[in-house]
Amino acid sequence: MINKKVAGVSEALQGVKNDMTFMFGGFGLSGIPENSIAHLVKLGVKGLTCISNNAGVDDFGLGLLLQEKQIKKMISSYVGENDEFERQMLSGELNVELIPQGTLAERCRAAQAGFPAIYTPAGFGTEVAEGKETREFDGKMYVLEHAFKADFAFVKAWKGDEAGNLIFKGTARNFNPNMCGAAKITVAEVEELLPVGELDPNQIHVPGIFVKRIFHGQHFEKRIEQRTVRQR
Amino acid sequence: MINKKVAGVSEALQGVKNDMTFMFGGFGLSGIPENSIAHLVKLGVKGLTCISNNAGVDDFGLGLLLQEKQIKKMISSYVGENDEFERQMLSGELNVELIPQGTLAERCRAAQAGFPAIYTPAGFGTEVAEGKETREFDGKMYVLEHAFKADFAFVKAWKGDEAGNLIFKGTARNFNPNMCGAAKITVAEVEELLPVGELDPNQIHVPGIFVKRIFHGQHFEKRIEQRTVRQR
Amino acid sequence: MLDKNGIAKRIAKEVQDGFYVNLGIGIPTLVANYVRDDIEVEFQSENGVLGMGPFPFEGEEDADIINAGKQTITTLPGASFFDSSTSFSMIRGQHVDLTILGAMEVSEGGDIANWKIPGKMVKGMGGAMDLVASAENIIVAMMHTNKRGASKLLKKCSLPLTGVSCVKKIVTNLAVLEVTDNGFKLLERAPGVSVDDIKSATEGTLIIEGDVPEMAL
Amino acid sequence: MLDKNGIAKRIAKEVQDGFYVNLGIGIPTLVANYVRDDIEVEFQSENGVLGMGPFPFEGEEDADIINAGKQTITTLPGASFFDSSTSFSMIRGQHVDLTILGAMEVSEGGDIANWKIPGKMVKGMGGAMDLVASAENIIVAMMHTNKRGASKLLKKCSLPLTGVSCVKKIVTNLAVLEVTDNGFKLLERAPGVSVDDIKSATEGTLIIEGDVPEMAL
């Protein structure tokens, strides 16, 4: 068994530098790599390009990196709910590339799976397709979208083992599996880090081969963005 | 919950006709839809195009359909270990298209996921790429391969529920998940068919939306092709 | 004239037994409340869940179980969780039978604009572009006119498009309309709304054939 | 001169700590037997398993747990099962560090032919074309000459190709060779084999620089 376990977030993030491109798992504030984000704030790396479906809120998630002006460019599908983001974007400090959510997922998966590009119908006929190659297959139009190239992918899983195998919980899965192995180095933080042999090989969501470093996250706030309930 | 359960193989296979294109899950004899194959023999449909990684052995798996000369064309990656196959192929009775195994998997997945075609490096510079479009990305050459179009996909899972959710065991998983939803109608046969609520929603390999009909297979021989053991 | 719940109620009648349905944020979300009890429907949310149930009881919220609107939800028996790539395979591969979403503008050719107002803050398209580019069956739920009283059913959209030639049906506070090759065909009037009311609120080509029935809710 | 196990033994020395390795059928399969005990290696099989272990004890065979050669296998702690698409994502995405496979012919440009002999029964390429088109690090394990004594290390392959310019290293019963821009560079001789023996068994351009050491096993 190839051991991917590192002592903690500090060792896990070795090698991060200014001006790198990072992927972050998560949808809204669910399933985000909280510990890695917090440590990136501490490290103070700047000029970052961040690929993430969302950009957090003002005081949580990627919003923390935005507050410190560490992000140069965001590649996301939806960036609402973040005042500081809006301010930086409107002032031109922050470069924002908005792309369809399915395209974002598949450009990650393409990088993971060794595909250079994909043809997707999403965005055809819209400004998202401007300047991009389009093509007809069977009477339907598609846009050519390229695999992402990233230096680090930061993902968050529920359980993991020392071999790097990951299991997610609920919708906290989202983009995390698609980003594993999609960057040069994939760092997984987990709520529970188990010795090998504890996870059922039939029930692994992401095989360890896609993960370079795994650590037990010290703190998971798991903040809820929209608490909706019904009466009993 | 949308109920996908049908009474048995006979109901599950309603609509199969001569000259259709079928996908079959399985690798070697592992994870093949034994009950569906047996019933296709019984129905006697002919002129079939079969997409399957392998072609079974003389007296099991797709070999049974070959014996009855029901197959017009095989699309596979490896077809060894089958004398009747060899005879029909050399005599020209059987049309055979051999394609790389990863290409086979991804052409299924493309059909499932709504991608018209993919670019893969596999087969570039070989006869597999003859007549196909090739293209360079980042200095590497790729071949354009199209999504399959099939009428039925026959898959075999270990456990399933009435909503069509599937769980596979071991390497009997193989092509089965990639074929679910890749044909107009996906028929899943399972060793154990459970009421909804019995499977953990975190641990579903194939969500029921990709499966049209599910039935409890009456007979699984699960033949071993190469029995290899070590001494105690 | 319908309110938002009325629009949702009317759209719910379009949901058929055995449908997998993706509901957008806003009025579409309300549709789930009005689907008939005697049919089986499963709701998909593009962040990775099939088989969504109602909101959780207070105290039972789980940060790891949300919908695409980031709201805490529950799941029903038979549900499944999956990654984003698989989720959009369901959408792009046309396994989702019906997509209901809001819009800022719809053109008589079926184009839709619902993600961006130039000069204003842009929140992003989320999954909307994938949904409209892929779905066979798209119903738009929206008010017939905007806050300034201008028609949202246009000859041509003025805002940046989300998708082209994709909308099949529109349910507004005033009417049910079908997108045809020749324009918006008026199918039903909302209770108390006249054909003339609809005419004056529709900038795009409106096709009126015979008597237009009032909708049954 | 090496036998098949000798070739496997020499190749095993190429396997480094932390490598994910895909072994082809035939001689490559034997490599697993000779990998050092003090390094961590995981074996991947393209039918959908990572972390393969030895063959099962008699009576413990499971039809649902096989390798790409359709042999019954076991798994080690930390193993995982996955579908074919994911399996080839590992291969195509270059997550597998080393691929070892057999060949019928290799050209001095690194082309490989190992799937088809025209006029004879063709069994198919299986996963070989994906492996050779994707892997960064490919070692070919084969006999230096075929059954008729003809060289399998050629200027140009005569058989239909499996992949182009992909082979990096070749280990035969006679030698270890590296594929360079100028031809096969002789790195090591098998025990008891002379440079002249290798010269006469190699049809392609052979590069000999200085003394060629005998391989240590």
Side-chain angles (χ1 to χ4, degrees):
Chain A
M1 185 269 306
I2 301 169
N3 199 322
K4 306 296 178 70
K5 183 182 172 183
V6 295
V9 67
S10 172
E11 186 180 344
L13 266 62
Q14 272 182 16
V16 301
K17 293 201 184 87
N18 291 344
D19 304 312
M20 277 186 161
T21 298
F22 296 157
M23 292 176 168
F24 294 91
F27 186 99
L29 302 180
S30 186
I32 60 174
E34 300 185 23
N35 292 276
S36 295
I37 291 170
H39 199 70
L40 286 169
V41 171
K42 200 171 154 193
L43 290 173
V45 285
K46 295 206 186 295
L48 304 176
T49 296
C50 297
I51 300 164
S52 167
N53 189 57
N54 311 92
V57 293
D58 276 323
D59 63 342
F60 200 57
L62 293 188
L64 298 171
L65 290 170
L66 284 164
Q67 292 287 349
E68 301 298 325
K69 303 199 173 68
Q70 293 176 260
I71 302 179
K72 181 178 68 184
K73 181 176 181 179
M74 279 297 314
I75 301 175
S76 302
S77 89
Y78 189 85
V79 292
E81 287 54 273
N82 193 319
D83 291 338
E84 176 62 16
F85 185 99
E86 187 166 354
R87 195 196 62 70
Q88 290 185 23
M89 181 173 157
L90 293 176
S91 73
E93 291 167 61
L94 182 67
N95 183 351
V96 179
E97 185 181 342
L98 291 169
I99 60 174
Q101 195 176 134
T103 300
L104 198 150
E106 208 63 18
R107 288 176 69 186
C108 292
R109 192 221 171 226
Q112 174 192 64
F115 292 111
I118 57 144
Y119 285 107
T120 178
F124 175 76
T126 76
E127 63 180 57
V128 161
E130 278 171 23
K132 291 177 185 163
E133 183 179 324
T134 59
R135 180 165 176 170
E136 186 181 324
F137 290 95
D138 279 340
K140 184 165 177 155
M141 294 302 297
Y142 296 83
V143 184
L144 186 72
E145 297 275 7
H146 292 262
F148 283 126
K149 289 187 172 75
D151 298 293
F152 278 80
F154 298 105
V155 303
K156 187 262 166 179
W158 181 35
K159 294 179 183 178
D161 69 15
E162 295 181 358
N165 294 307
L166 303 179
I167 293 178
F168 303 88
K169 189 182 142 216
T171 55
R173 190 178 323 185
N174 56 64
F175 290 85
N176 285 295
N178 308 128
M179 289 177 173
C180 290
K184 283 178 203 143
I185 294 176
T186 298
V187 173
E189 57 185 79
V190 296
E191 292 182 54
E192 208 179 330
L193 182 51
L194 302 159
V196 289
E198 299 281 309
L199 299 177
D200 178 350
N202 267 319
Q203 297 294 12
I204 305 294
H205 292 149
V206 172
I209 192 171
F210 293 117
V211 174
K212 198 72 110 195
R213 303 172 189 167
I214 189 168
F215 70 98
H216 171 237
Q218 287 303 302
H219 182 70
F220 288 102
E221 179 181 335
K222 303 219 278 184
R223 195 186 293 186
I224 291 175
E225 203 164 342
Q226 302 282 344
R227 188 178 304 272
T228 45
V229 295
R230 69 186 140 136
Q231 297 309 312
R232 269 171 215 274
Chain B
M1 187 270 306
I2 300 169
N3 199 323
K4 306 296 179 74
K5 183 183 172 181
V6 296
V9 67
S10 170
E11 187 180 344
L13 267 62
Q14 272 181 17
V16 301
K17 294 204 183 88
N18 292 345
D19 305 311
M20 277 187 162
T21 298
F22 295 157
M23 291 176 169
F24 294 91
F27 186 99
L29 302 179
S30 186
I32 60 175
E34 300 185 22
N35 292 276
S36 295
I37 292 170
H39 199 70
L40 286 169
V41 171
K42 200 170 154 192
L43 290 173
V45 284
K46 294 204 189 294
L48 305 176
T49 296
C50 296
I51 299 164
S52 167
N53 189 55
N54 311 92
V57 295
D58 276 323
D59 62 343
F60 201 58
L62 293 187
L64 298 170
L65 290 171
L66 283 164
Q67 293 287 349
E68 301 298 325
K69 303 198 172 68
Q70 293 176 262
I71 302 178
K72 181 177 69 184
K73 180 176 181 178
M74 279 297 313
I75 300 175
S76 302
S77 88
Y78 188 85
V79 293
E81 290 48 278
N82 193 320
D83 291 340
E84 176 62 16
F85 186 98
E86 187 167 353
R87 195 196 63 69
Q88 291 186 23
M89 180 172 157
L90 294 175
S91 74
E93 290 168 63
L94 183 67
N95 183 352
V96 179
E97 184 181 343
L98 291 169
I99 60 173
Q101 197 176 131
T103 300
L104 197 151
E106 208 63 19
R107 288 175 69 185
C108 292
R109 191 220 172 229
Q112 174 193 65
F115 292 111
I118 56 144
Y119 285 108
T120 178
F124 174 76
T126 76
E127 64 180 56
V128 161
E130 278 171 21
K132 291 177 184 162
E133 182 180 325
T134 59
R135 178 164 177 172
E136 186 180 325
F137 291 95
D138 278 341
K140 184 165 176 155
M141 295 300 298
Y142 296 84
V143 184
L144 186 73
E145 298 276 6
H146 292 262
F148 284 125
K149 290 189 171 74
D151 298 294
F152 278 81
F154 298 106
V155 303
K156 185 261 166 181
W158 181 35
K159 294 180 183 177
D161 70 15
E162 295 181 359
N165 294 307
L166 304 179
I167 293 178
F168 303 88
K169 188 183 144 217
T171 55
R173 191 180 320 188
N174 55 66
F175 291 84
N176 285 296
N178 308 128
M179 289 175 173
C180 291
K184 282 177 205 145
I185 294 175
T186 298
V187 173
E189 56 184 80
V190 296
E191 292 181 54
E192 209 178 331
L193 182 51
L194 301 160
V196 287
E198 299 280 309
L199 299 177
D200 178 351
N202 268 318
Q203 298 293 13
I204 305 295
H205 292 149
V206 173
I209 192 172
F210 293 117
V211 173
K212 198 73 112 193
R213 303 173 189 167
I214 189 168
F215 70 99
H216 172 237
Q218 287 303 302
H219 182 71
F220 288 102
E221 180 181 335
K222 301 219 280 184
R223 196 186 290 188
I224 291 175
E225 202 164 344
Q226 303 281 344
R227 188 178 302 271
T228 45
V229 295
R230 69 186 142 136
Q231 297 309 311
R232 268 170 215 274
Chain C
M1 193 147 73
L2 303 177
D3 61 4
K4 288 181 178 183
N5 277 292
I7 295 173
K9 210 166 167 181
R10 174 60 190 81
I11 290 178
K13 292 178 66 180
E14 303 287 321
V15 179
Q16 293 173 30
D17 191 27
F19 266 17
Y20 293 98
V21 182
N22 182 294
L23 299 178
I25 296 168
I27 302 175
T29 305
L30 302 173
V31 173
N33 301 331
Y34 300 105
V35 172
R36 281 160 49 196
D37 282 342
D38 61 338
I39 61 173
E40 293 296 347
V41 173
E42 287 185 38
F43 293 102
Q44 194 252 18
S45 193
E46 63 267 28
N47 59 316
V49 55
L50 186 68
M52 268 190 292
F55 294 139
F57 289 119
E58 204 167 335
E60 294 180 0
E61 317 91 88
D62 186 336
D64 293 330
I65 302 180
I66 62 171
N67 64 16
K70 285 107 179 176
Q71 298 172 311
T72 44
I73 55 156
T74 61
T75 57
L76 299 173
S80 54
F81 297 111
F82 35 84
D83 61 45
S84 299
S85 174
T86 303
S87 184
F88 283 92
S89 292
M90 295 177 185
I91 290 167
R92 206 185 305 99
Q94 302 187 337
H95 306 287
V96 172
D97 299 290
L98 176 61
T99 292
I100 302 168
L101 73 177
M104 300 191 289
E105 296 178 351
V106 176
S107 82
E108 62 187 52
D111 298 349
I112 177 172
N114 75 347
W115 76 285
K116 186 176 184 176
I117 303 177
K120 282 204 184 183
M121 173 59 186
V122 177
K123 296 195 170 183
M125 69 291 280
M129 282 195 183
D130 304 274
L131 281 158
V132 300
S134 307
E136 281 287 292
N137 194 0
I138 298 171
I139 300 179
V140 164
M142 65 177 189
M143 303 310 275
H144 212 100
T145 52
N146 65 21
K147 284 172 193 163
R148 299 182 313 279
S151 179
K152 296 170 73 174
L153 289 92
L154 306 171
K155 287 196 187 306
K156 203 168 174 306
C157 293
S158 66
L159 294 170
L161 296 183
T162 309
V164 293
S165 305
C166 51
V167 176
K168 299 283 181 296
K169 198 173 256 189
I170 305 153
V171 179
T172 75
N173 51 328
L174 303 183
V176 179
L177 307 103
E178 190 187 339
V179 175
T180 70
D181 289 346
N182 305 313
F184 300 110
K185 184 175 170 186
L186 183 58
L187 299 182
E188 298 172 21
R189 294 173 293 110
V193 173
S194 72
V195 168
D196 282 341
D197 292 339
I198 298 164
K199 266 185 188 168
S200 67
T202 307
E203 192 249 21
T205 307
L206 189 66
I207 301 166
I208 301 157
E209 289 177 358
D211 274 351
V212 177
E214 187 173 294
M215 62 179 78
L217 286 170
Chain D
M1 193 147 76
L2 302 178
D3 61 4
K4 289 181 177 184
N5 278 292
I7 294 173
K9 211 166 167 180
R10 175 59 191 80
I11 290 178
K13 293 178 65 179
E14 304 287 322
V15 179
Q16 294 172 30
D17 191 28
F19 265 18
Y20 293 98
V21 181
N22 182 293
L23 300 177
I25 296 168
I27 303 175
T29 305
L30 302 173
V31 173
N33 301 332
Y34 300 105
V35 173
R36 281 160 50 195
D37 281 341
D38 61 338
I39 63 173
E40 292 297 347
V41 171
E42 287 186 37
F43 293 103
Q44 193 252 20
S45 193
E46 63 266 31
N47 60 316
V49 55
L50 186 68
M52 267 192 291
F55 295 140
F57 290 119
E58 204 167 336
E60 294 179 0
E61 316 91 87
D62 185 336
D64 292 329
I65 301 179
I66 63 171
N67 64 18
K70 286 106 180 177
Q71 297 171 310
T72 44
I73 55 156
T74 61
T75 56
L76 299 173
S80 55
F81 298 111
F82 36 83
D83 62 44
S84 298
S85 175
T86 303
S87 184
F88 283 91
S89 292
M90 295 177 185
I91 291 167
R92 205 184 307 99
Q94 304 188 334
H95 307 286
V96 172
D97 300 290
L98 176 62
T99 292
I100 302 168
L101 74 176
M104 302 192 287
E105 294 177 350
V106 176
S107 82
E108 60 186 52
D111 297 349
I112 178 172
N114 75 348
W115 75 285
K116 185 175 184 178
I117 303 177
K120 282 203 182 183
M121 172 59 183
V122 176
K123 297 193 171 186
M125 70 290 282
M129 282 195 183
D130 304 275
L131 282 158
V132 301
S134 307
E136 280 286 291
N137 195 359
I138 298 171
I139 300 179
V140 163
M142 66 176 189
M143 304 310 275
H144 212 99
T145 54
N146 67 20
K147 283 172 192 160
R148 299 182 314 280
S151 179
K152 296 170 73 173
L153 289 93
L154 307 171
K155 285 195 189 307
K156 202 169 175 304
C157 293
S158 66
L159 295 170
L161 296 183
T162 309
V164 292
S165 306
C166 52
V167 176
K168 297 285 180 294
K169 200 174 256 190
I170 306 154
V171 179
T172 75
N173 52 328
L174 304 184
V176 179
L177 308 102
E178 190 187 338
V179 176
T180 71
D181 288 346
N182 304 313
F184 299 111
K185 184 175 168 186
L186 184 58
L187 300 181
E188 298 173 20
R189 295 172 292 111
V193 173
S194 72
V195 169
D196 282 342
D197 292 340
I198 297 163
K199 267 186 188 167
S200 67
T202 306
E203 192 248 19
T205 307
L206 190 66
I207 301 165
I208 301 158
E209 289 177 359
D211 273 352
V212 177
E214 187 175 295
M215 62 179 79
L217 287 169

